[in-house]
Amino acid sequence: MFDSIALNVVISLVFIYSLYSLLVTTLNEIIASFFSLRAKTLEKGIKRMLTDNGDKVNSIVDQFYQQPLIKYLGEDNTKKPAYLTSASFSSALVHLCDDLAAGAPDTQAQLLTGIKEIKKINPQTGKFLETLYADASGDLVKFQALSETWFNETMDRATGWYKKQTQRITLLVAFIVALSFNVDTIGIVKNLSANPKLATAVVEMADKYLKASKASEVVPAKEADEQIRASMATAQKLVASNSDIQNANAVLGLGWNDIKSEEIFFSVLGCMLTALAISLGAPFWFDLLSKLMQLRGSKKVVETPTK
């Protein structure tokens, strides 16, 4: 079997990254749910679509969110939905135009009149909707299909906005977590390299961790309040006294108790490296840990000498 000191050090380090990245992922879920980041990103996308200036309060957006189809998707009447399908958007947009065009004789006239009412408040947005109306030749079904395509394209960009925001939050949370527990990559590598038995002990912990964990479990999407409670319970379990994190910390001696003043700078630098690593996410490190453990457990191929 492959059981070199270098491989054990790498496996131990990946194991630590896997544990802490799972904790960071859980904390991110708490932050995202508490501050309604998904709902706010969706609202930003809706504002970008229905207003000329998405940063300002606009009556059209307010009326859009008051449509029953949208309003009742939220957790309650005070909270806006975090997810919205393209079909729901196009249907709500048509109903919004109907409300704005009260008194119009038929559906086609209501849609066109409603678009003109939007154009009075948001000229550029109204002009774009008129273009969609013209492309659909006034047909309601075609207009909804074009609206759905428009919504999907905007949400693709909104997904990028959300990822950028969460990446910044993840990096900050990762650094705070690494600094709190003094998860110093430089110090860990030094200790494991100088003490092969310690590295072997951590690898054994990693092996038990893999056998007990089928996958890096991330809290599934739920309503905001339920999401926070579930994430808090997961976070508390991860840092409990008998958890894998605490056991690994005890073996490696992580913490700030025995740190000398002249070592603080290198510890902070090591924590920064750890933060960069664990910000890659729990699934990445869990998969890498599984592959490394398979490599360690694989048998060397011995060539049979030929006569």
Side-chain angles (χ1 to χ4, degrees), residues 9-71:
V9 170
V10 172
I11 291 175
S12 300
L13 198 59
V14 171
F15 171 56
I16 296 298
Y17 288 162
S18 180
L19 292 177
Y20 279 97
S21 59
L22 184 57
L23 176 60
V24 169
T25 300
T26 305
L27 294 177
N28 279 347
E29 287 296 328
I30 295 174
I31 294 172
S33 299
F34 184 81
F35 291 102
S36 302
L37 296 183
R38 293 185 180 90
K40 290 179 179 178
T41 303
L42 175 61
E43 184 180 10
K44 180 181 178 181
I46 298 298
K47 286 182 177 180
R48 188 70 187 88
M49 296 177 71
L50 298 181
T51 67
D52 292 352
N53 190 339
D55 296 332
K56 295 183 179 180
V57 178
N58 194 284
S59 60
I60 298 299
V61 175
D62 293 338
Q63 291 180 67
F64 176 84
Y65 271 102
Q66 286 304 313
Q67 295 298 315
L69 184 60
I70 306 300
K71 181 178 181 180

Side-chain angles (χ1 to χ4, degrees), residues 145-166:
L146 292 173
S147 300
E148 290 175 13
T149 301
W150 176 35
F151 175 82
N152 290 330
E153 290 175 351
T154 303
M155 289 303 106
D156 287 340
R157 293 194 294 271
T159 300
W161 303 339
Y162 183 78
K163 286 182 178 179
K164 288 180 181 179
Q165 185 180 32
T166 54

Side-chain angles (χ1 to χ4, degrees), residues 94-266:
V94 170
H95 287 298
L96 172 63
C97 291
D98 292 346
D99 292 344
L100 295 172
D106 53 49
T107 303
Q108 188 175 12
Q110 286 177 342
L111 180 59
L112 183 57
T113 305
I115 290 174
K116 290 181 178 179
E117 291 297 320
I118 293 175
K119 190 175 181 180
K120 291 179 181 178
I121 302 174
N122 302 291
Q124 295 177 0
T125 301
K127 186 177 180 179
F128 179 76
L129 290 173
E130 286 180 338
T131 302
L132 293 183
Y133 182 85
D135 291 342
S137 301
D139 184 82
L140 178 61
V141 175
K142 291 182 179 178
F143 177 82
Q144 286 185 293
L146 292 173
S147 300
E148 290 175 13
T149 301
W150 176 35
F151 175 82
N152 290 330
E153 290 175 351
T154 303
M155 289 303 106
D156 287 340
R157 293 194 294 271
T159 300
W161 303 339
Y162 183 78
K163 286 182 178 179
K164 288 180 181 179
Q165 185 180 32
T166 54
Q167 283 172 354
R168 292 193 292 267
I169 295 173
T170 298
L171 191 57
L172 177 61
V173 172
F175 180 66
I176 292 174
V177 168
L179 200 62
S180 299
F181 292 93
N182 189 23
V183 189
D184 174 10
T185 293
I186 299 174
I188 292 173
V189 171
K190 287 182 178 179
N191 292 339
L192 293 175
S193 300
N195 194 338
K197 292 184 178 179
L198 180 62
T200 302
V202 178
V203 169
E204 290 176 356
M205 293 178 62
D207 186 45
K208 293 179 181 178
Y209 170 75
L210 282 177
K211 291 178 180 177
S213 305
K214 295 181 180 179
S216 297
E217 213 173 288
V218 179
V219 181
K222 304 175 182 177
E223 294 292 355
D225 291 342
E226 186 181 356
Q227 177 80 25
I228 294 175
R229 289 193 294 270
S231 299
M232 286 293 293
T234 303
Q236 291 173 354
K237 183 179 179 181
L238 288 171
V239 297
S241 59
N242 59 345
S243 68
D244 291 313
I245 286 180
Q246 291 295 344
N247 292 336
N249 288 357
V251 172
L252 293 171
L254 299 182
W256 293 98
N257 294 331
D258 300 325
I259 298 297
K260 300 177 182 179
S261 58
E262 61 271 15
E263 297 175 347
I264 292 179
F265 173 78
F266 292 101

